[in-house]
């Protein structure tokens, strides 16, 4: 046996006692490359025993410091211990804290380690670390329930010999006033005497303290004097600090008597004339509990559960409490008593006044209540409501009184209405906000969350009543809290302009002894005072009070340092806000719940509170055996506390994982015993069980899932001999487990465990304790006890060994099988256990006595069967293998017949188990065992890969398009091939699914939160893979591309699904499909089905590639409501010409259509619980518009941009309607108006304006702020002077091409100024021209002001784009459109208010119905028209789905729900850009949740595509993201692929085709415009620097930066962050070797040797180029020499030579190389750098003096250290510079400027450098600032400093 025993010392609030043995630290690993088992670190570690000596661990300090400031308690618990032993010890820290508190901090520190690492995370983000800790077998949860009021926080740490540790836990809470006092409860239990033990509490209450009391459950007469209590007017100091001797239980005892609760109670002074308001540091808190108020009479109906479950002690205690409560009623109260089981019985049919006679009579009635029957909560509560409503209507109750119902129940509703949500709805509807409901949940069977929500929905609260001897006291205590209402409908008001982020300020009631607390954040920090008002209903009259609250000086209000902690007012506000948001998240509408959750989560993280939405991840210091597991601290909800108490840590199916936040509802499925099968269902706190009887040797199938290929079989064994009683018992003694996808097989018997993975076999004995970690399987073996198996991304289970005395005459050893986690298995999972993995529905009724009195019988309805079942017990042995634990369950007789599918015999498996004993482990060859040789891959002609099917299937139902693109390919080659799937999809669409099927194996994309996909993405990037699947593709499309390696003669099927809501523009919808198969395809088909119940007005189909021959192949069938369009050319019809292999199918296939429209409401469709409303009524007159055109004429608009702008403006002006008014504003750094007012668009005025427009010229910089504000003021003045039509719309159209760099240049400030000036009175539309514009700035500013933004792409059609946009907004039809629906029938409504409806567009509103049985509902539309208001209303009816959508091909799934989800997400994403921080946070959170729920790839989610393994091992996962418009713009600027390589043109760009250029002038040519983006990615740059001054800067690691050296040698530093580049030349003689990159940390060096021409002309300048590169990476053992002839690779003692005439790839552990024939070499060095070497061949063959040369391009260098340097390396982490004084160059096509860089002032010139990374032959011109004189001033030192002696010289 090899095992590690570790006896820890438990630090229970700073004390030590013996703890449980520790786990094995040295984990054994099954390696895919090694046969032997090894330690994770690679070297075998010896397993060491740790000695234990309890006396050697000294706990020498325990301190509790509590500071209470204005009821807000801040508690710090500190414990210190020293390990005096000569070996390491495990020390535990355990603290009980109030369950109402939030943990705010935790730390551990020691003298030999720096401290524990902890972080607050969203609970979902902490999940992976949690699961990792669990899978290692450790207890990952730090927090457990501890009694009724407390939670237990516990953590352990391994402390080295002679080391100490300090634990510090901080928590905070707002003390609640109950029964006239505040309570500070501290639980202490050190369990040993402590040298320094101290409890200190400081209380400061500015309004004064009325009393303080301190006592403890452990205080003896001797200890009582040690409690030091000092109280002044407003301060209290309480301390307790016994010595070591005073802590002893008795004079000679070592034990301590300090064990129990230390309680401090107090209250504050209260005066009638004032309230307690404190305003400190920008926050205020208001405590409201005025004294001496008369009580308000109450009318209370007691609704008492008398069902059978209340029998015995529960009922006796309930009656005892009710008698005491009835006695306590005031005579002016009214009351009633209702008792219920499945029937309802009332004491009297109306409420009765609480006279002594009536109370006595009621007490007699209560004494007769007996338990019986089931539980009908719904009818009982509704009877109480009806009674109160009737008595109110009949005026039997005092007018000024409060109505309340107090419900006491102990279980779930199981009679009458049993749907708890429906009960909540019924009660809420019946009460109507007119009364309060208080719910008391008795015992642990009650569904507390149901009662809690129902109470909060009805102005009440819920309370748990714990089973125990004091239950009657608990009931009375609760009643005392609500017995005396003082005020009703309390409304606390504060100045709206002075306060925001206010906590709840309206309360239904104020009870005697309680307190209302309101807190808020001030918007004016300079406020000296503000008005506070309180309104409420009192007993005799309304309560009204108002007054001024003053800001008091911090130092005056809180003079003593020990009485304050940090910014406590802000933290108090945050605590209270979070608590109330968490309550709202339970009882509000779905939208309120989501918003509350999102805000509470954000605040929890911001203020570092551990709440039910967050977790504190505690990463412990490494032990001597390696890294320890992280721990998770969670906040338990009351439901989680209840579940823990129900099942305990003994019976809980999650007993191995005490923290239950993530898997608390996971069922457990087990078989153990004779074989006893048990299905545990924690959500119902119930279980089902059955036995299977068969002869020994039978093999049963327990689990079978065909998708991943999982199989679990078990073989039974009998007794050694038949016992005297003749009963034959069978048990499981062997299990066989297979996971085909993971290549894992296990055989577990009572003797040993055999593991077979990847051809290797490992055998373990039950006498071992071991941990085995493999790539796909983790095993944890506990000696002679259990084996826990985790199969990657699949299933987790544990097998228990039951050992029997070896000499027992009958019994044998046997096994039990327990499933711990199966939620990842597919819906096809089956087997005796597997069939229950995805749930089981059943009902139990008709309880009756069974054959055994303790075991009642019942009738069960399950799977359509009616079964007789018996309540019995089954043993769960996980906690106690020897004795087990009884779990109550419903037993199904006859081998589970009726519960299991089929018969038990159907599950008998034929043949052997899984792992054959004869199997020998597969031995790898010596070559594979040793270092791998570098292998070349041959390339095969492309025609060996046949794409034989391409299909596009688009279904459009109600404008919602669902498109499925399918492509099938076959690799006919005799070797594996990389096959690419590339699809262009509309940028407005959301990817909904992607899958690859390869030889029957399915690989499906998984939509995840973007943050969770990030790690997989980064891993892919670091491996050199292109991890991004989505790139921008033109203006309207996105390109999705993925590749996969397919084995010889294998096939692959790609399927991509995306969805979008078609937008109506200019009177039509457009379905755009881009197809480019690149070869004729056997089965090519485009099919589109459109269904519009409203009727189809027209359908048009065109394609950019349609010839006269192909046109007849477009089949179009249109009926009234349906259209079917198909296009399916044959192979020959696809060919460019009869003998050609190329295809003419390349371009856009476009379908346009519109629907029929009738006047009125528009079209409303109600389907499957969702509705959608399309509103675009025809024939409406247009509303006149008043438009100000604000046109950028700055220098950057020069040339074609300005020309196209003028052309567009001329056309737009001509298109103005005569009733419109317009104005023109031009701006650069100055603002010029055509006229200072708006002009009516008469023909004369338009002609004059056109003449003015034609004279516009570019000049100066850009003052957007001043220009837009001028337009606003112009419109405001015209409105004020009544120069504009009353019924008209005001709008501003801004056209700009760049950043504001004159006047106000801060983007956020401009947005704020514009929004404040416009103030919702007009609309603003922004047009961003070209790629230099910051589109997000314009987009947000437009959305903030009721408009939209649009990008105008530079190109020949820019003027057409401008005109097209104007046409969309040229004709407003309606303003302020408000679409209304019944509030009680609809929730989760999309935007239903629109500022305008334009001609040719459409408004779409969707929502979810709350009443699925709705027959019809009222729809109303209100708007402002041109002449009168528009008003329409009518009823919309739900239509039968089968009638309105009769044909399957025209519908897809639950399209109405997905349409609603799509539209909701789109609008939430828009709001996340423009709302308040709260709106942005909640909107983003809700959009994320819905994106994941509906599997939409949005900007918040990513689709992770895991590719199959290649012959070289696992391939990298790929990530599909949704591009924002900003990302598209950046991609077009820099690389064409924002997700893959943000290309920093690495150190080396090449020469132009015209030959080498002189170093003084560089390459000449015009700046290229933005280019189309290919699948490979590329670069495009802006043409000029903006404005008169430009600042270049770069932040570390913010994006990749490109440095390149190519040409003569031309060096270029590209800075994508600001769309800028710097360049310089280096001149030296041929043969010189320059150092380009040098990083001493990894030992990375790049040197380049220059060459000249073959022949030197003495009359010409000598041009030089790079001819050889030497690259070294010492740490990775890599060396490369790249010349113009060949590439030599040295790696781990092996050399491979490659020729440029080859196309090949090399993959090694540390290096990837990809060689493209006569073109480029791409090199990726693991976790280091990625670069590309480009080969330039003889461009002019007739020029015999021309030589081949090389270029070097850095693709990714962010992993290199800060020490990196060299001619290129010095720029890898950025360069800061400023440009000023731009002026014309002597060559008029260029610009000179002054550059400030590295403390130097340089004269630089704007011209172009060639980038050959995309086009090796011609290159691409990149504008850059050229630095003369060999880069002097830009590079560090001089060029000669970079000359090295050899190609590999470091």
């Amino acid at each position: 046996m090899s095992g590690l025993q570790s006896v820890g010392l438990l630090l229970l609030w700073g004390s030590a006692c013996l703890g449980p043995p520790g786990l094995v630290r040295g984990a054994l690993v099954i390696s895919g490359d090694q046969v032997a088992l090894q330690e994770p670190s690679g070297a075998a570690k010896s397993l060491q025993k740790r000695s234990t000596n309890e006396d050697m661990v000294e706990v020498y300090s325990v301190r509790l410091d509590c500071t209470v400031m204005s009821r807000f308690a801040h508690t710090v618990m500190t414990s210190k211990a020293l390990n005096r032993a000569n070996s390491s010890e495990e020390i535990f820290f355990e603290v009980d804290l109030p369950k109402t508190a939030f943990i705010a901090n935790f730390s551990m520190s020691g003298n030999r380690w720096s401290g524990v690492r902890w972080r607050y995370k969203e609970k979902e983000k902490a999940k992976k670390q949690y699961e990792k800790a669990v899978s290692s077998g450790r207890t990952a949860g730090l927090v457990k329930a501890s009694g009724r009021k407390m939670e237990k926080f516990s953590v352990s740490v391994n402390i080295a010999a002679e080391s100490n540790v300090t634990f510090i836990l901080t928590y905070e809470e707002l003390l609640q006033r109950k029964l006239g006092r505040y309570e500070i409860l501290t639980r202490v239990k050190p369990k040993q005497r402590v040298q320094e033990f101290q409890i200190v509490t400081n209380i400061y209450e500015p309004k004064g303290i009325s009393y303080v009391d301190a006592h403890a459950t452990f205080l003896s007469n001797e200890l009582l004097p040690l409690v030091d209590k000092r109280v002044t007017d407003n301060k209290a100091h309480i301390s307790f600090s016994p010595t070591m001797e005073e802590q002893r239980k008795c004079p000679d005892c070592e034990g301590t008597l300090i064990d129990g609760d230390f309680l401090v109670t107090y209250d504050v002074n209260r005066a009638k004339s004032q309230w307690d308001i404190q305003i400190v540091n920008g926050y205020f808190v208001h405590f409201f509990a005025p004294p001496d108020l008369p009580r308000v009479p109450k009318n209370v109906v007691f609704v008492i559960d008398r069902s059978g479950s209340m029998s015995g002690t529960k009922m006796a205690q309930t009656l005892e409490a009710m008698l005491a409560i009835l006695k306590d009623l005031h005579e002016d109260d009214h009351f009633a008593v209702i008792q219920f089981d499945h029937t309802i019985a009332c004491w009297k049919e109306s409420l009765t006044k609480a006279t002594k006679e009536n109370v006595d009579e009621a007490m007699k009635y209560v004494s007769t209540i007996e338990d019986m029957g089931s539980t009908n909560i719904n009818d009982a509560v509704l009877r109480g409501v009806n009674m109160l409503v009737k008595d109110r209507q009949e005026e039997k109750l005092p007018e000024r009184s409060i109505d309340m119902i107090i419900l006491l129940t102990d279980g779930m509703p199981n009679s009458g209405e049993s749907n708890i949500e429906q009960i909540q709805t019924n009660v809420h509807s019946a009460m109507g906000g007119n009364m309060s409901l208080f719910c008391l949940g008795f015992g642990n069977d009650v569904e507390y969350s149901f009662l809690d929500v129902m109470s909060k929905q009805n102005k009440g609260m819920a309370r748990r009543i714990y089973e125990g001897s004091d239950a009657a006291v608990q009931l009375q205590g609760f009643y005392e809290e609500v017995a005396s209402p003082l005020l009703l409908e309390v409304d606390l008001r504060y100045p709206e302009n002075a306060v925001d982020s206010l906590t709840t300020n309206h309360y239904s009631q104020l009870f005697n002894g309680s307190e209302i607390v309101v807190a808020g954040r001030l918007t004016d920090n300079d406020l000296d005072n503000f008005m506070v008002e309180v309104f409420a209903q009192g007993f005799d009259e309304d309560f009204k009070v108002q007054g001024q609250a003053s800001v008091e000086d911090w130092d005056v209000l809180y003079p003593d340092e020990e009485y304050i902690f940090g910014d406590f007012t802000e933290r108090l506000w945050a605590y209270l806000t979070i608590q109330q948001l968490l309550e709202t998240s339970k009882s509000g509408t779905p939208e309120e719940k989501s918003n509350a959750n999102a805000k509470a989560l954000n605040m929890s993280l911001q203020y570092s509170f551990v709440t039910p939405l967050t977790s504190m991840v505690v990463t412990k210091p490494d032990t001597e055996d390696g890294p320890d597991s992280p721990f998770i601290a969670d906040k338990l909800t009351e439901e989680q506390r209840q579940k823990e108490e129900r099942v305990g840590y003994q019976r809980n199916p999650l007993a191995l994982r005490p923290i239950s936040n993530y898997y608390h509802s996971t069922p457990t499925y087990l078989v153990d015993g004779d074989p006893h099968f048990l299905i545990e269902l924690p959500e119902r706190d119930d279980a089902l069980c059955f036995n299977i009887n068969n002869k020994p040797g039978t093999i049963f199938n327990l689990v079978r899932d065909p998708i991943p290929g999982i199989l679990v079989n078990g073989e039974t064994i009998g007794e050694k001999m038949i016992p005297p009683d003749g009963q034959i018992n069978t048990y499981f003694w062997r299990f066989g487990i297979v996971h085909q996808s993971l290549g894992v097989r296990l055989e577990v018997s009572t003797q040993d465990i055999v593991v077979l993975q990847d051809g290797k076999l490992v055998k373990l004995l039950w006498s071992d304790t071991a941990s085995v970690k493999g790539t796909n399987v983790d095993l944890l073996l506990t000696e002679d006890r259990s084996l826990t198996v985790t199969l990657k991304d699949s299933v987790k289970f544990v097998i228990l060994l039951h050992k029997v005395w070896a000499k027992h005459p009958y019994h044998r050893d046997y096994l039990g099988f327990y499933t711990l986690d199966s939620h990842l298995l597919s819906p096809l999972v089956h087997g005796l256990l597997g069939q229950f993995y995805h749930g089981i529905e059943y009902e139990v009724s008709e309880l009756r006595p069974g054959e055994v009195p303790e075991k009642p019988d019942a009738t069960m309805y399950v799977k359509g069967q009616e079964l007789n079942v018996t309540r019995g017990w089954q043993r769960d042995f996980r906690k106690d293998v020897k004795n087990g634990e009884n779990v109550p369950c419903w037993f199904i007789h006859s081998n589970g017949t009726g519960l299991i599918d089929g018969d038990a015999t159907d599950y008998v498996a034929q043949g052997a188990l899984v792992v054959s004993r004869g199997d020998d482990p597969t031995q790898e060859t010596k070559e594979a065992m040793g270092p791998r040789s570098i292998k070349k891959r041959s390339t095969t002609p492309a025609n060996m890969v046949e794409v034989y099917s391409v299909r596009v299937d688009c279904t459009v139902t109600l404008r919602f398009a669902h498109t499925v693109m399918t492509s099938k390919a076959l690799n006919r080659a005799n070797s594996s091939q990389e096959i690419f799937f590339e699809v262009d999809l509309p940028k407005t669409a959301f990817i909904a699914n992607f899958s690859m099927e390869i030889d029957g194996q399915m690989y499906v994309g998984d939509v995840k939160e973007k943050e969770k996909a990030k790690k997989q993405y980064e891993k892919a990037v670091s491996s050199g893979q292109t991890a991004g699947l989505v790139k921008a593709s033109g203006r309207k499309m996105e390109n999705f591309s993925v590749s996969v390696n397919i084995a010889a003669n294998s096939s692959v099927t790609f399927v991509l699904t995306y969805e979008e809501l078609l937008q109506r523009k200019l009177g039509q919808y457009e379905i755009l499909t881009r197809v480019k198969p690149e070869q004729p395809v056997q089965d090519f088909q485009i099919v589109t089905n459109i269904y519009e119940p409203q009727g189809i007005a027209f359908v048009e189909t065109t394609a950019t590639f349609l010839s006269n021959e192909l046109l007849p192949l477009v089949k179009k069938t249109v009926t009234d409501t349906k259209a079917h369009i198909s296009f399916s050319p044959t192979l020959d019809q696809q060919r460019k010409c009869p003998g050609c292999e190329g295809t003419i199918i390349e371009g856009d296939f476009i379908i346009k259509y519109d629907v029929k429209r009738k006047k009125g409401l528009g079209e409303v469709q109600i389907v499957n619980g969702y509705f959608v409303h399309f509103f675009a009524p025809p024939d409406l007159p247009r509303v006149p518009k008043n438009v100000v055109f604000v046109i950028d004429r700055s220098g950057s608009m020069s040339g074609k941009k300005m020309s196209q702008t003028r052309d567009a403006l001329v056309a737009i002006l001509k298109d103005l309607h005569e009733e419109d008014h317009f104005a023109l504003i031009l701006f650069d750094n100055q603002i010029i108006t055509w006229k200072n007012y708006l002009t009516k668009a008469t023909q004369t005025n338009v002609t004059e304006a056109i003449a003015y427009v034609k004279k516009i010229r570019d000049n100066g910089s850009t003052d957007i702020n001043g220009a837009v504000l001028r337009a606003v003021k112009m419109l405001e003045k015209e409105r004020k002077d009544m120069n504009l039509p009353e019924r008209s719309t005001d709008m501003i159209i801004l056209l700009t091409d760049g950043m504001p760099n004159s006047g106000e240049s801060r983007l956020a400030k401009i947005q704020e100024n514009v929004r404040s000036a416009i103030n919702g009175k007009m609309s603003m539309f922004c047009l961003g021209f070209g790629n230099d514009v910051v589109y997000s700035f314009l987009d947000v500013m437009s959305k903030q002001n009721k408009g939209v933004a649009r990008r105008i792409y530079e190109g020949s059609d820019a003027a057409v784009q401008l005109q097209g946009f104007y046409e969309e907004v040229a004709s407003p039809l309606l303003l302020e459109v408000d679409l209304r629906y019944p509030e009680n029938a609809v929730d989760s409504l999309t935007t239903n208010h629109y500022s305008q409806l334009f001609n040719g567009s459409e408004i779409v509103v969707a929502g979810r119905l709350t009443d699925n049985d709705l027959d019809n509902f009222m729809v109303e539309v209100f708007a402002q028209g041109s002449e009168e208001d528009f008003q329409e209303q009518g009823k919309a009816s739900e239509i039968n789905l089968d009638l309105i959508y009769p044909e399957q091909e025209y519908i897809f799934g639950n399209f109405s729900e997905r349409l609603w989800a799509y539209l909701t997400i789109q609008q939430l994403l828009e709001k996340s850009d423009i709302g308040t921080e709260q709106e942005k946070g909640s909107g983003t959170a809700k959009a994320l949740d819905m994106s994941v729920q509906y599997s939409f790839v949005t900007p918040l989610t990513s689709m992770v595509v895991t590719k199959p393994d290649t012959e070289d091992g696992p391939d990298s996962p790929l990530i599909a993201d949704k591009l924002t418009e900003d990302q598209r713009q950046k991609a077009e600027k820099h690389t064409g692929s924002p997700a893959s390589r943000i290309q920093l043109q690495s150190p080396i760009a090449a020469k132009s085709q015209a030959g080498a250029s002189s170093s003084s002038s560089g390459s000449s040519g015009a700046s290229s415009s933005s280019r189309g983006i290919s699948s490979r990615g590329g670069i495009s740059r802006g043409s000029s620097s903006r404005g008169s001054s430009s600042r270049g800067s770069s932040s570390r690691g913010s994006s990749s930066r490109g440095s390149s050296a190519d040409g003569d040698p031309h060096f270029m530093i590209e800075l994508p962050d600001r769309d800028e580049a710097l360049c310089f030349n280096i001149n030296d003689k041929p043969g010189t070797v320059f150092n380009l990159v040098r990083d001493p940390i990894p030992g990375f060096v790049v040197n380049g040797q220059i060459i000249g021409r073959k022949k030197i002309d003495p009359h010409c300048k000598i041009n030089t180029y790079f001819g050889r590169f030497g690259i070294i990476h010492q740490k990775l053992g890599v060396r490369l020499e790249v010349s113009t002839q060949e590439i030599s690779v040295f790696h781990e003692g092996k050399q491979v030579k490659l020729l440029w005439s080859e196309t090949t790839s090399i993959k090694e552990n540390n290096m990837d190389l990809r060689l493209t024939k006569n073109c480029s070499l791409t090199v990726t060095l693991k976790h280091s750098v990625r670069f590309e070497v480009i080969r330039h061949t003889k461009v002019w063959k007739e020029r015999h003096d021309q030589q081949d040369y090389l270029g070097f391009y850095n693709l990714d260098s962010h992993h290199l250290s800060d020490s990196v340097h060299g001619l290129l390396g010095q720029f890898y982490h950025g360069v800061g510079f400023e440009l000023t004084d731009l002026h014309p160059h002597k060559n008029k096509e260029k610009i000179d400027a002054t550059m400030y860089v590295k403390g130097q002032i340089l004269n630089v010139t704007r011209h172009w450098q060639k980038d050959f990374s995309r086009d090796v032959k011609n290159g691409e011109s990149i504008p850059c600032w050229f630095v003369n004189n060999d880069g002097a001033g830009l590079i560090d030192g001089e060029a000669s400093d970079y000359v090295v002696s050899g190609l590999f010289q470091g």
Side-chain angles (χ1 to χ4, degrees), residues 1542-1600:
I1542 299 178
Q1543 181 158 332
L1544 304 179
Q1545 283 321 305
S1546 280
I1548 312 191
K1551 293 218 53 131
S1552 71
Q1553 188 173 6
S1557 60
S1558 109
S1559 62
S1560 62
S1561 64
S1563 302
S1564 64
S1567 171
S1568 63
S1569 62
S1570 298
R1571 303 185 317 197
I1573 299 162
S1574 74
S1575 60
R1576 184 163 178 254
I1579 309 168
S1580 53
R1581 290 287 181 266
S1583 59
S1584 65
S1585 176
R1586 297 271 328 195
S1588 59
S1589 174
S1590 175
R1591 177 177 294 272
S1593 63
S1594 56
S1595 57
R1596 288 285 314 273
S1598 62
S1599 77
S1600 305

Side-chain angles (χ1 to χ4, degrees), residues 664-689:
H664 64 270
S665 62
T666 303
T668 300
Y669 314 89
L670 63 93
V671 55
D672 205 347
D674 177 36
H676 297 300
F677 291 78
L678 179 67
I679 316 301
E680 292 193 52
L681 305 167
E683 286 186 341
R684 297 184 62 159
D685 191 22
D686 206 353
L688 310 178
C689 49

Side-chain angles (χ1 to χ4, degrees), residues 1667-1806:
R1668 278 203 307 162
F1669 291 113
I1671 299 107
I1672 301 174
H1673 197 300
Q1674 293 177 347
K1675 199 168 186 180
L1676 299 181
V1678 173
R1679 196 168 82 155
L1680 290 92
E1681 180 177 343
V1682 185
S1683 72
T1684 56
Q1685 286 80 42
E1686 61 188 21
I1687 299 106
S1688 295
V1689 186
F1690 301 83
H1691 184 221
E1692 297 182 351
K1694 294 184 277 302
Q1695 178 179 359
V1696 170
K1697 186 175 289 186
L1698 306 173
L1699 299 176
W1700 279 104
S1701 57
E1702 298 177 285
T1703 291
T1704 188
S1705 65
I1706 295 176
K1707 282 185 176 288
E1708 283 296 294
N1709 290 333
N1710 296 323
M1711 172 184 66
D1712 281 4
L1713 282 80
R1714 186 179 295 272
L1715 178 61
T1716 303
K1717 179 180 178 180
N1718 290 329
C1719 183
S1720 64
L1721 171 70
T1722 304
V1723 180
T1724 303
L1725 299 177
K1726 183 179 180 184
H1727 301 315
S1728 182
V1729 69
R1730 186 170 180 234
F1731 57 86
E1732 186 176 36
V1733 177
I1734 288 179
R1735 179 176 184 247
H1736 299 273
T1737 56
K1738 301 171 187 177
V1739 182
W1740 300 298
K1741 295 185 178 179
E1742 66 270 25
R1743 290 284 301 274
H1744 300 292
D1745 60 338
Q1746 182 79 17
Q1747 290 203 74
D1748 296 350
Y1749 62 97
L1750 303 175
F1752 181 95
Y1753 290 75
N1754 172 53
L1755 302 182
D1756 188 355
S1757 59
H1758 77 279
H1759 284 295
L1760 295 181
S1761 78
D1762 292 344
S1763 303
V1764 67
H1765 208 262
L1767 275 171
L1768 293 173
Q1770 62 189 288
F1771 303 107
Y1772 279 1
H1773 291 307
V1775 58
F1777 65 92
E1778 290 184 26
L1779 290 168
T1780 60
D1781 190 28
L1782 276 70
H1783 52 277
H1785 185 69
K1786 58 186 179 182
N1787 178 345
K1788 294 183 180 180
E1789 295 178 358
K1790 298 181 180 178
I1791 300 173
D1792 282 352
T1794 301
M1795 177 181 285
Y1796 297 87
V1797 60
K1798 295 185 177 180
Q1800 307 286 325
I1801 302 176
L1802 309 178
N1803 183 55
V1804 295
T1805 302
R1806 187 68 165 176

Side-chain angles (χ1 to χ4, degrees), residues 376-434:
N376 187 351
I377 293 176
N378 183 75
D379 290 353
V381 175
L382 293 184
R383 178 71 66 87
V385 174
N386 292 337
M387 192 180 287
L388 282 164
V389 169
K390 180 173 177 291
D391 284 1
R392 275 285 176 201
Q393 290 173 344
E394 295 175 1
E395 300 184 351
K396 293 181 179 179
L397 306 175
E399 182 181 352
R400 286 187 176 270
S401 60
I402 180 175
D403 299 344
M404 63 173 69
I405 295 173
I406 297 179
L407 166 68
L408 171 67
T409 181
D410 77 329
M412 281 284 286
N414 56 14
S415 178
E417 179 60 68
S418 60
N419 183 307
I420 58 177
E421 291 183 355
Q422 187 60 52
I423 295 173
Q424 290 168 341
T425 300
N426 294 345
V427 171
H428 184 57
S429 175
M431 288 190 165
N434 298 318

